[in-house]
Amino acid sequence: MARTPSNMLPLGTTAPDFTLVDSITNDNVSLTDIRGEKGTVVMFICNHCPFVIHVNEEIVRIANDYRVQGFGFVAISSNDIEKYPQDAPEHMWSTARKNNYTFPYLFDETQEIARAYDAACTPDFYLFDGDLKLIYRGQLDDSRPGNGITVNGRDLRQALDAVLRNAKVIEPQKPSIGCNIKWKE
């Protein structure tokens, strides 16, 4: 299993805009549509990555816990579906239903959005404040498949809580570790 770290987009970066098709509803969904008053979490995930499968339940819990507090959530899959057909939109729909995703699960067919966010792996997490400025990027927590650490979402939860308290987000921020995004050639 490959272990690719996040590229760690510079803090303060404005969230790149997007409009992509939601695999759950088949509607176009934009950054404006999912933007939260307090902040917005953009997650790069996919269906087959063991690192994503490992944290699926926690990302749903976090979305449910914080959406009601003014945060928007979205997941994006950017993998090449010709080489990885298990990440195709019809399978994204099934994954979203199986895991009770309460957020849009968008397909980035051209991979332009992953490139705009400098995403490198799945899962990769980005938290933008109410003005869509990047204030956190990196890991969900220290848990990885097989390392014996319980998934608790600690790092992302601390960042979200800091926004709610109008406090500075934790530093240093640790990169996420996961499967590399499957780029088209």
Side-chain angles (χ1 to χ4, degrees), residues 64-75:
N64 291 339
D65 290 348
Y66 288 89
R67 188 179 56 247
V68 296
Q69 297 184 65
F71 291 94
F73 287 82
V74 67

Side-chain angles (χ1 to χ4, degrees), residues 29-41:
V29 175
S30 70
L31 177 62
T32 303
D33 295 332
I34 58 93
R35 181 179 182 178
E37 180 184 329
K38 297 276 186 186
T40 304
V41 176

